Amino acid sequence: MTKPLTEDDATLAYAKAWNRLEPDRFLEQLAPNAGYTSQWVFEELKGAEAISNCLRGKMNTVRASGAGDLSSRVQVEIGRTTRGTYDRPCALMTQGTAEVKAVVIFEVDDGQIQRFDMCIPAFYAPVHTRVFPA
C-alpha cells in the first residue's frame, strides 16, 4: 500500500523540482483541477495543464539565463511556518541571494496537490531548516 501524499511530500517535490530545474515529478502530483496563486500575479492559474505550462516556462527561463548569470539562480529550501498555521511545511525560495523572496505552501487532499500558493515571507515568518533537496 502506498502512503498518502502529505504537505511535507509536496514541499519536498517542489523544492527538488526547482533545485534540479526538472518539474515532472512535482507536476505528476497535481490534481487535474489544481490551483496556483502568487501574491505577485493577479490571476489564479487553474488546472494541471496551465500550471505545468507556467512552471516549465519559468524553469526554462531560469535555465537559459542561469548559465551565465548567477543572480538568476533559484534555490529552494525546506522551511516551517511560525505564523498562520504553525509548523506547516513550506518551500523557501531564493534567487541570486540568500534572502528568501517567497514562501510556498501546499494543500494536499485525496493523494494529490489541490493547490499551492506563493506568498510574501513575512506572512508566515518561516524558519530555515538548511535542507536544500537535490
Side-chain angles (χ1 to χ4, degrees):
M1 179 184 244
T2 322
K3 89 175 179 92
L5 186 72
T6 66
E7 288 182 358
D8 286 297
D9 298 329
T11 303
L12 179 63
Y14 187 82
K16 284 182 177 181
W18 271 105
N19 290 338
R20 297 175 182 175
L21 295 177
E22 296 173 2
D24 292 342
R25 299 268 334 239
F26 173 75
L27 295 172
E28 290 169 1
Q29 297 175 17
L30 292 177
N33 61 343
Y36 164 66
T37 61
S38 169
Q39 292 187 315
W40 293 272
V41 179
F42 293 113
E43 291 186 29
E44 177 178 3
L45 284 178
K46 294 188 181 200
E49 184 176 350
I51 294 168
S52 176
N53 291 339
C54 176
L55 198 56
R56 287 181 196 285
K58 286 182 178 188
M59 287 185 185
N60 286 338
T61 299
V62 168
R63 185 181 297 107
S65 62
D69 182 5
L70 290 178
S71 70
S72 68
R73 181 178 179 207
V74 173
Q75 286 190 296
V76 181
E77 174 186 2
I78 302 298
R80 305 298 292 191
T81 61
T82 64
R83 288 192 192 138
T85 304
Y86 180 76
D87 200 34
R88 186 175 186 181
C90 60
L92 308 179
M93 298 192 74
T94 64
Q95 187 167 18
T97 68
E99 178 188 355
V100 175
K101 306 283 187 185
V103 170
V104 183
I105 57 171
F106 302 86
E107 290 181 19
V108 174
D109 190 32
D110 205 21
Q112 297 179 306
I113 299 167
Q114 300 297 323
R115 72 173 299 104
F116 61 109
D117 301 286
M118 185 174 286
C119 307
I120 296 168
F123 290 165
Y124 291 97
V127 293
H128 296 267
T129 63
R130 302 293 178 225
V131 174
F132 293 85

